[in-house]
């Protein structure tokens, strides 16, 4: 066990019982490091409340005793936001036992669930009533709704449906002092003052514990058409995106970009993956249309791509002819994270840019990184339709920690300065966590940062919520 006072242990035990506590060192281990294997720490104890009342009781105790709390969902986050520090003093508050779907209302197109519900379970619960919950991430079998909302997650369907924030109507939140904000409203219009819901969404466990949410459902698409295209440069893909938006409107659901080195990485490190096109292309896109009507979708995609081929904006394209082929194409895209993990140590960037500025950014960033290190391995992929790139730099697996830290600082400055110059964001969907905390501070205006700190101070005066993360 870490540095846990016996009296604190007794009080936490009284709040959550045997089933709600993990005290054994070995049993705590999975909660103390992240999916990427990049961060690890030591918790004093892992507390797993079964309901909102237990969560409130735990927070009350932690507030009174000034005990720091790291809230954790599925622990799939990519910014180290859910990992305790090395002190052994932080309590990990795991939400995984609070996983109930509380209500589904198909007429109101809403679903109410607890924060620990897995994203995949929420998707399935929506499907059971012939509705669709569109948030979709490679980690959907393991990540939780609470984590999705706390990071304002994005994923592959933001282009059509928006990010986690856009898919949430109401929240229930346990505040740092143990009080409960009952904001589980299933309304699309509610102008009764400041928007507290949006304050907690994206707050990464620094302002309160999300215990439940009302999520927005959509009609279930019954048809989809998927294609993989190859292009000579990224500007051609940006042009194709605009063309498809004009022709297909809201039926365009996903427009994902994969650079040639990203594709090569997957082919090398993920088994059973084959290149979808014969020739070599500098950039690829995985495109998906979906509709609630069954007719004409594949034809629409085909004619749109034929036009692009005729105009020369894309070099080659293949339309998926079956569900299995569609799955195989998505497996390539979703395999990049795993391939990166196997291939080396990634300096990860999660940037957002105006889509019109992407081509210039990529050209300038590639040139600046190459000027510094001619053999640099740039793994550039992501959600081009949202202007969100994972513009990563890959170093060899055996890179010593010190060299990695130095290279990270250098690459961050090059990439993030260019992002800032283009009025972009250094944090698009993965959250700030500990990975980008200092970078965010570097680029935020003093006014914006001051406002954030005032909010933090007023909600969490004892500074117990996820210390060292985000702010
Ligand atoms: P955790 O990792 O457990 O926590 C993340 C943050 O949220 C932490 O700061 C934590 O303190 C806080 N938190 C968690 N639960 C709560 C709660 N109930 N109340 C308050 N704060 C809380 N992300 C994307 O956005 N788009 C992607 O396409 C994407 N793809 C991924 C693919 C893979 C293979 C993997 C491993 C990850 C991917 N991610 C992606 C990152 C990650 O899955 C998301 O950030 C996800 O939303 C995190 O959910 P989680 O439940 O695992 O949260
Ligand atoms: C993705 O888009 O695949 C994810 O955000 C994960 C990653 O960046 O590795
Ligand atoms: Zn992503």
């Amino acid at each position: 066990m870490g540095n846990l006072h016996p009296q604190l242990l007794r009080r936490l035990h009284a709040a959550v019982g045997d089933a709600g506590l993990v005290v054994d060192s070995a049993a705590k281990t999975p909660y103390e490091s992240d999916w990427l294997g990049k961060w690890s720490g030591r918790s004093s104890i892992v507390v797993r409340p079964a309901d909102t009342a237990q969560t409130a009781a735990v927070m009350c105790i932690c507030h009174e005793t000034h005990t720091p709390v790291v809230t954790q969902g599925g622990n799939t986050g990519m910014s180290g936001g859910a990992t305790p520090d090395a002190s052994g003093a932080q309590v990990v508050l795991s939400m995984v036992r609070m996983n109930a779907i509380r209500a589904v209302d198909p007429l109101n197109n809403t679903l109410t669930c607890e924060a620990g519900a897995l994203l995949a379970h929420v998707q399935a619960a929506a499907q059971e009533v012939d509705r669709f919950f569109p948030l979709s991430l490679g980690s959907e079998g393991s990540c939780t709704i609470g984590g999705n909302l706390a990071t304002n997650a994005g994923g592959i369907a933001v282009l059509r449906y928006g990010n986690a924030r856009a898919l949430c109507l109401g929240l229930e939140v346990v505040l740092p002092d143990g009080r409960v904000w009952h904001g589980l409203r299933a309304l699309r219009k509610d102008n009764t003052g400041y928007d507290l819901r949006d304050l907690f969404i994206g707050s990464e466990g620094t302002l309160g514990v999300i215990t439940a949410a009302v999520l927005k459902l959509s009609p279930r698409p019954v048809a989809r058409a998927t294609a993989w295209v190859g292009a000579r440069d990224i500007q051609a893909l940006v042009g194709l995106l605009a063309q498809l938006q004009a022709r297909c409107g809201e039926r365009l659901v996903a427009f994902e970009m994969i650079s040639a080195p990203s594709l090569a990485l997957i082919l090398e490190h993920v088994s059973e993956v084959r290149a979808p096109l014969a020739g070599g292309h500098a950039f690829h896109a995985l495109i998906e249309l979906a509709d609630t009507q069954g007719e004409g979708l594949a034809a629409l995609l085909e004619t749109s791509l034929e036009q692009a081929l005729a105009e020369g904006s894309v070099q080659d394209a293949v339309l998926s002819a079956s569900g299995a082929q569609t799955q195989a194409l998505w497996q390539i895209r979703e395999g990049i994270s795993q391939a990166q993990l196997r291939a080396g140590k990634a300096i990860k960037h999660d940037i957002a840019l105006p889509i019109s500025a992407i081509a210039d950014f990529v050209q300038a960033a590639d040139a600046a990184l190459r000027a510094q290190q001619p053999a640099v391995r740039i793994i550039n992929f992501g959600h081009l339709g949202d202007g969100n790139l994972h513009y990563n730099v890959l170093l060899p697996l055996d890179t010593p920690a010190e060299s990695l830290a130095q290279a990270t600082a250098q690459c961050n400055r090059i990439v993030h300065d260019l992002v800032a110059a283009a009025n972009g964001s250094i944090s698009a969907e993965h959250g700030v966590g500990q990975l980008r905390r200092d970078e965010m501070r570097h680029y935020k205006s003093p006014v914006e940062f001051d406002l954030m700190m005032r909010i933090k101070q007023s909600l969490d005066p004892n500074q117990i919520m996820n210390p060292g993360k985000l702010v």
Side-chain angles (χ1 to χ4, degrees):
M1 197 184 304
N3 314 327
L4 191 69
H5 195 282
Q7 201 189 343
L8 180 57
L9 176 60
R10 274 197 295 277
R11 290 184 71 186
L12 290 172
H13 185 260
V16 298
D18 281 342
L21 294 185
V22 182
V23 290
D24 176 70
S25 295
K28 283 192 301 169
T29 305
Y31 301 88
E32 296 178 330
S33 60
D34 73 315
W35 184 86
L36 292 167
K38 194 164 177 167
W39 291 276
S40 60
R42 220 159 52 88
S43 62
S44 58
I45 192 165
V46 177
V47 181
R48 298 163 27 119
D51 57 29
T52 305
Q54 288 192 3
T55 309
V58 170
M59 286 315 305
C60 210
I61 296 165
C62 292
H63 178 71
E64 275 173 32
T65 55
H66 291 244
T67 303
V69 175
V70 181
T71 309
Q72 193 175 96
N75 201 14
T76 67
M78 295 221 155
S79 309
T83 312
D85 68 14
S87 66
Q90 301 187 329
V91 167
V92 169
L93 182 65
S94 168
M95 301 306 290
V96 291
R97 286 176 76 211
M98 287 191 63
N99 58 11
I101 307 288
R102 288 189 186 167
V104 188
D105 182 346
L107 285 183
N108 196 39
N109 275 315
T110 50
L111 178 152
T112 306
C113 69
E114 293 182 340
L118 293 182
L119 172 54
H121 289 172
V122 168
Q123 293 166 340
Q127 190 163 338
E128 271 174 33
V129 294
D130 197 27
R131 294 293 184 272
F132 181 56
F133 184 61
L135 191 67
S136 181
L137 319 177
S139 55
E140 61 201 21
S142 319
C143 65
T144 63
I145 290 299
N148 299 153
L149 290 167
T151 54
N152 189 21
I156 55 170
V158 173
L159 178 61
R160 162 69 179 85
Y161 296 100
N163 51 17
R165 171 172 276 126
L167 299 171
C168 178
L169 295 178
L171 285 182
E172 178 186 88
V173 177
V174 173
L175 301 175
D177 61 8
R179 286 178 299 159
V180 181
W181 172 51
H182 295 283
L184 279 182
R185 298 182 193 113
L187 305 173
R188 285 163 180 82
K189 288 189 169 180
D190 174 19
N191 283 352
T192 52
Y194 305 135
D195 196 331
L196 299 178
R197 176 196 61 199
D198 275 359
L199 195 56
F200 289 106
I201 295 174
S203 66
E204 301 185 36
T206 63
L207 298 180
V209 183
I210 297 170
T211 47
V214 180
L215 304 173
K216 213 195 279 184
L217 304 181
S218 291
R220 196 164 67 84
V222 294
R224 65 175 177 167
T226 311
W228 185 284
V229 309
R232 101 173 29 88
D233 55 34
I234 199 163
Q235 184 62 33
L237 291 184
V238 169
L240 177 64
L241 169 66
Q243 277 176 0
L244 288 175
Q245 282 175 312
R247 284 186 76 124
C248 310
E250 295 211 318
R251 284 166 292 193
L252 181 61
V253 170
F255 195 105
E256 298 287 304
M257 180 277 286
I258 302 101
S259 68
S262 309
L263 180 60
L265 202 71
I266 307 163
L267 295 175
E268 195 183 331
H269 292 278
V270 180
S271 55
E272 290 168 20
V273 166
R274 293 214 337 258
L277 300 173
H281 308 279
F283 287 91
H284 303 250
L286 177 55
I287 298 163
E288 190 150 292
L289 306 188
D291 201 351
T292 51
Q293 306 290 319
E295 300 298 311
L297 211 55
L300 174 63
L301 187 54
E302 193 170 5
T303 49
S304 305
L305 292 178
E306 272 167 8
Q307 188 189 337
L309 278 161
E311 288 167 358
S313 52
V314 303
Q315 295 172 311
D316 199 0
V318 60
L319 232 73
S320 165
S322 67
Q325 234 173 44
T326 299
Q327 210 184 334
L329 293 178
W330 277 106
Q331 201 187 339
I332 300 176
R333 166 62 186 90
E334 300 288 16
I336 305 179
S337 300
Q338 191 63 254
Q340 271 190 142
L341 211 54
R342 290 177 186 163
K345 296 222 165 112
I347 302 174
K348 287 170 81 77
H349 298 115
D350 172 33
I351 58 177
L353 293 156
I355 292 168
S356 49
I358 281 181
D360 285 348
F361 164 83
V362 170
Q363 198 182 24
D366 283 3
L369 290 172
R370 291 212 171 96
Q372 192 206 37
Q373 170 60 260
V376 66
R377 270 184 97 179
I378 300 168
I379 305 299
N380 181 11
F381 67 98
H383 318 284
L384 187 68
D386 314 322
N388 174 195
L389 301 182
H390 301 305
Y391 185 88
N392 300 339
V393 171
L394 198 62
L395 302 182
L397 268 174
D398 59 359
T399 307
E402 212 171 285
S403 317
L404 179 64
Q406 204 181 8
T408 302
Q410 285 167 352
C411 287
N412 280 352
R413 197 52 62 244
I414 290 171
V415 172
H416 289 162
D417 274 358
L418 287 166
V419 168
N423 275 324
S425 169
I426 64 149
S427 179
E429 61 166 12
H430 291 165
V432 171
Q434 44 185 312
L435 177 63
R436 299 187 183 88
R437 187 195 61 177
D438 296 342
E439 286 298 285
M440 187 189 80
R441 180 88 200 251
H442 182 84
Y443 290 100
K444 277 264 180 231
S445 75
V447 171
E448 203 171 346
F449 194 72
D450 177 57
L451 288 174
M452 282 177 59
M453 291 310 286
R454 282 165 192 256
I455 291 167
K456 169 76 178 165
Q457 181 60 28
S458 79
L459 281 171
D460 180 22
N462 293 352
Q463 304 284 324
I464 59 169
M465 301 303 296
N466 219 356
K469 319 288 171 43
L470 182 62
V471 285

